[in-house]
Amino acid sequence: DRLYAKLVRSNIEIYDRNFDEAIKIIESLSDNIINDPEYYGSKNLHLGIIYYLISDKELSLMHFEAERVLLDEKLKELNNNIV
C-alpha cells in the first residue's frame, strides 16, 4: 500500500535525522486522516512529532492540538454509535 510505504519512508527519514524530507513526505499524503487497518491518526500527529524532535515548540503544539481535536471528534462519533 502506497500510504503505508510513505509512512515507513517518513520514519526512515526521521531516524536518519532528515526532518525536512520527512515533513515533505507527510505533507504529500493526499488525505489528512490516516486510516489503516493497523493505524489511525492524521498528518498532524506525524508533523507534531517531527516538529517536536527539531524543537519547534510552536508548530509541534499547533499540530498536536489539531490531532487532539480530531481524536476527540472520533471518540464522540464512536460513542454515538454504541448502542
Side-chain angles (χ1 to χ4, degrees):
D1 182 67
R2 187 135 171 85
L3 171 63
Y4 185 73
K6 284 187 173 187
L7 291 173
V8 170
R9 185 70 202 152
S10 172
N11 286 338
I12 291 169
E13 295 299 342
I14 291 169
Y15 297 142
D16 289 341
R17 302 189 62 76
N18 297 326
F19 300 114
D20 289 336
E21 188 61 30
I23 290 168
K24 287 179 191 174
I25 292 167
I26 295 300
E27 288 180 340
S28 76
L29 297 176
S30 59
D31 294 328
N32 187 44
I33 303 296
I34 302 167
N35 192 5
D36 189 71
E38 298 179 18
Y39 178 83
Y40 183 85
S42 78
K43 294 189 322 188
N44 286 311
L45 178 60
H46 287 278
L47 291 171
I49 291 168
I50 296 167
Y51 285 117
Y52 176 81
L53 291 171
I54 60 175
S55 300
D56 189 327
K57 185 176 180 178
E58 185 177 333
L59 282 176
S60 67
L61 288 174
M62 180 187 77
H63 286 288
F64 287 144
E65 179 61 21
E67 180 72 10
R68 187 191 65 75
V69 168
L70 176 77
L71 293 175
D72 280 345
E73 290 172 1
K74 185 66 174 176
L75 280 173
K76 288 176 187 172
E77 177 185 312
L78 291 172
N79 285 334
N80 287 337
N81 291 332
I82 296 174
V83 178

